[in-house]
Amino acid sequence: MQLSELSARSGVSVSTIKYYLREGLLPPGDKTGERRALYGEPHVARLRLLRVLREVGAVPVADLKGIVAAVDDRSRSVHQMFGAAFDALTKTPDQEPDSASRARADDLVEEAGWTSVRSDSPERDRLAYLLHVVTDLGAHLGPQEWRSYLDLVDLLAAFEVNRLHPDDPAADRDTLLRRMVVGQVVFGEFVLSLRRLAHAHHSALRASDGPVQQ
Amino acid sequence: MQLSELSARSGVSVSTIKYYLREGLLPPGDKTGERRALYGEPHVARLRLLRVLREVGAVPVADLKGIVAAVDDRSRSVHQMFGAAFDALTKTPDQEPDSASRARADDLVEEAGWTSVRSDSPERDRLAYLLHVVTDLGAHLGPQEWRSYLDLVDLLAAFEVNRLHPDDPAADRDTLLRRMVVGQVVFGEFVLSLRRLAHAHHSALRASDGPVQQ
């Protein structure tokens, strides 16, 4: 297909496609003339992946290269490819966590049984940072409560992964990664929105049950 | 206590306290001279609430007045006070949702049994917007899957509300609201962080089980 059709199929503007070509984020098409080339389905899949990373994941353009390199390097497993994208999607904490918070974060990950999470995953630092903030604010969960909390989150994530990454041997690496990002980011926003609604409901129940402070 | 002690106790700088006094967000202290006043525990509680709203909730200063008005108006129930803060914490969707997505969002809220959520809550529009995005991206859950998903989020939120808003008849309205915001926002970040770790783990299991695309 020609550039104009590629743009229509992928929902990415012609000027952005040209930028991705220059940056090496999109492989060149088959040249059919001085300024013309033909593109195929892999180009559509790559552009849809880039669009989801940019628009849904808010991944900075600078980070796209690392992700695309992981997709294109077929000596890296799907798991390693997912890892590169996970890292790009993780908010870096504003400050390095203290070692006590980091040890606490590692304990929680182990207790949850998430043994496949790399020890150098930036998400462990992010969790350590949040543990530090919560302790600072005086909120506190006991060991049994953490256990219940981790179990609930684990159920939710297992449900999402199994539902959103269906077994699909025919899917190419770009499509597998796009599905992972949608599951990760869009359903993350979903969980937060549903959770706010559930909080509003349960808070209302508590407020009407409990003593009204007037 | 004097202004300097109030600043130390609340963790809010003297210049910010003066700003809050000018804006009417903090009630004046008891005047003891031309430029001196004494402050009490309610001032500490109010400043801690304002700090959590600003630093944790990222609530714009312009929205603080509406929340403080809801706290100070004792004819409004705790539930109504929470409602004002919930609205300020909700990200407004970039665009008005279409009526089909909004109807779908209302159906989900009803199916989840969150009957205490106001029909004019902006969170319903936010959910409608996300439903629209997901449909656009081709992700789709069937009715049974939605049911399981809603049940999981409901369990999580009920756990958080009951744990983070303990029965405490002695707590003043500022403190009740501060706890609600911490539960809502900080534990929201927690859920997302834990969920990303759980996703990384379950995705890794799937990737090593499934066909490796190399």
Side-chain angles (χ1 to χ4, degrees):
Chain A
M1 75 194 81
Q2 304 207 333
L3 191 57
S4 54
E5 189 184 344
L6 180 62
S7 170
R9 286 274 311 280
S10 61
V12 177
S13 71
V14 168
S15 63
T16 303
I17 293 177
K18 286 182 174 170
Y19 171 76
Y20 288 156
L21 285 166
R22 280 198 304 277
E23 293 291 317
L25 293 165
L26 184 69
D30 290 329
K31 286 249 178 198
T32 57
E34 187 58 44
R35 300 174 64 90
R36 287 181 163 271
L38 288 179
Y39 303 90
E41 292 307 320
H43 293 93
V44 176
R46 171 60 50 90
L47 287 172
R48 285 187 177 154
L49 168 63
L50 291 170
R51 199 179 146 201
V52 161
L53 287 168
R54 290 286 299 136
E55 292 178 14
V56 175
V59 172
V61 172
D63 290 350
L64 293 178
K65 285 198 183 181
I67 297 175
V68 161
V71 176
D72 286 338
D73 177 0
R74 300 195 163 231
S75 72
R76 294 171 81 172
S77 66
V78 170
H79 174 43
Q80 288 171 320
M81 173 176 89
F82 280 4
F86 267 122
D87 291 355
L89 295 170
T90 299
K91 274 197 259 178
T92 316
D94 303 333
Q95 55 205 66
E96 192 80 352
D98 57 288
S99 59
S101 300
R102 173 56 201 249
R104 188 116 180 58
D106 288 338
D107 286 350
L108 280 183
V109 171
E110 196 185 329
E111 187 168 349
W114 298 328
T115 49
S116 307
V117 176
R118 301 197 323 273
S119 60
D120 65 343
S121 163
E123 194 65 49
R124 289 176 182 261
D125 282 346
R126 169 92 185 138
L127 181 61
Y129 166 75
L130 290 169
L131 283 166
H132 177 79
V133 169
V134 162
T135 308
D136 227 37
L137 289 167
H140 178 73
L141 293 182
Q144 269 309 314
E145 289 173 319
W146 270 116
R147 185 76 246 173
S148 316
Y149 203 67
L150 293 173
D151 284 348
L152 282 170
V153 175
D154 187 60
L155 277 171
L156 190 75
F159 174 80
E160 289 174 331
V161 167
N162 292 320
R163 179 58 191 81
L164 299 167
H165 308 184
D167 273 326
D168 182 359
D172 55 77
R173 289 166 67 102
D174 286 86
T175 302
L176 286 172
L177 188 55
R178 178 166 54 83
R179 286 187 191 147
M180 187 281 269
V181 175
V182 169
Q184 183 60 35
V185 180
V186 180
F187 275 75
E189 290 291 316
F190 245 122
V191 173
L192 282 194
S193 180
L194 293 171
R195 179 179 163 279
R196 278 190 294 264
L197 289 161
H199 263 240
H201 173 69
H202 288 287
S203 291
L205 293 188
R206 288 296 295 254
S208 54
D209 287 353
V212 180
Q213 307 276 326
Q214 296 202 52
Chain B
M1 75 195 82
Q2 304 207 334
L3 190 58
S4 54
E5 189 184 345
L6 180 63
S7 170
R9 285 276 309 281
S10 62
V12 177
S13 71
V14 168
S15 63
T16 302
I17 293 176
K18 287 183 173 170
Y19 171 76
Y20 288 157
L21 285 165
R22 280 198 304 278
E23 293 290 318
L25 293 166
L26 183 69
D30 290 329
K31 286 247 178 198
T32 58
E34 187 58 45
R35 300 175 62 91
R36 287 182 163 271
L38 289 179
Y39 302 90
E41 291 307 319
H43 292 92
V44 177
R46 169 62 49 89
L47 286 172
R48 285 188 176 152
L49 169 62
L50 291 171
R51 201 180 144 201
V52 161
L53 286 168
R54 289 285 299 136
E55 292 178 16
V56 176
V59 172
V61 173
D63 290 349
L64 292 177
K65 285 198 182 179
I67 298 176
V68 161
V71 177
D72 285 339
D73 177 359
R74 302 202 161 226
S75 72
R76 294 171 81 172
S77 67
V78 170
H79 174 41
Q80 287 170 320
M81 173 177 88
F82 280 5
F86 268 122
D87 291 354
L89 295 170
T90 299
K91 274 197 259 176
T92 316
D94 302 333
Q95 56 206 66
E96 192 81 352
D98 57 288
S99 59
S101 300
R102 174 55 200 250
R104 187 116 178 60
D106 289 338
D107 285 350
L108 280 183
V109 171
E110 197 185 328
E111 187 169 347
W114 299 328
T115 48
S116 306
V117 176
R118 300 196 325 273
S119 60
D120 65 344
S121 164
E123 195 63 50
R124 289 175 183 260
D125 282 346
R126 170 93 185 137
L127 181 61
Y129 167 74
L130 290 169
L131 283 167
H132 177 79
V133 169
V134 162
T135 307
D136 226 35
L137 290 166
H140 178 72
L141 294 182
Q144 269 309 313
E145 290 173 319
W146 270 117
R147 184 77 247 174
S148 317
Y149 203 68
L150 293 172
D151 284 349
L152 282 170
V153 175
D154 188 62
L155 276 172
L156 189 75
F159 174 81
E160 289 175 331
V161 167
N162 292 319
R163 179 60 191 79
L164 299 167
H165 309 183
D167 274 326
D168 182 358
D172 55 76
R173 290 168 65 102
D174 287 86
T175 302
L176 285 173
L177 187 56
R178 179 167 52 83
R179 285 187 192 146
M180 187 282 269
V181 175
V182 169
Q184 182 60 35
V185 180
V186 181
F187 275 75
E189 290 291 316
F190 246 122
V191 173
L192 281 194
S193 179
L194 292 172
R195 180 179 162 280
R196 277 190 294 264
L197 289 160
H199 263 239
H201 173 69
H202 288 287
S203 292
L205 293 189
R206 289 296 296 254
S208 54
D209 286 354
V212 180
Q213 307 276 328
Q214 295 200 55

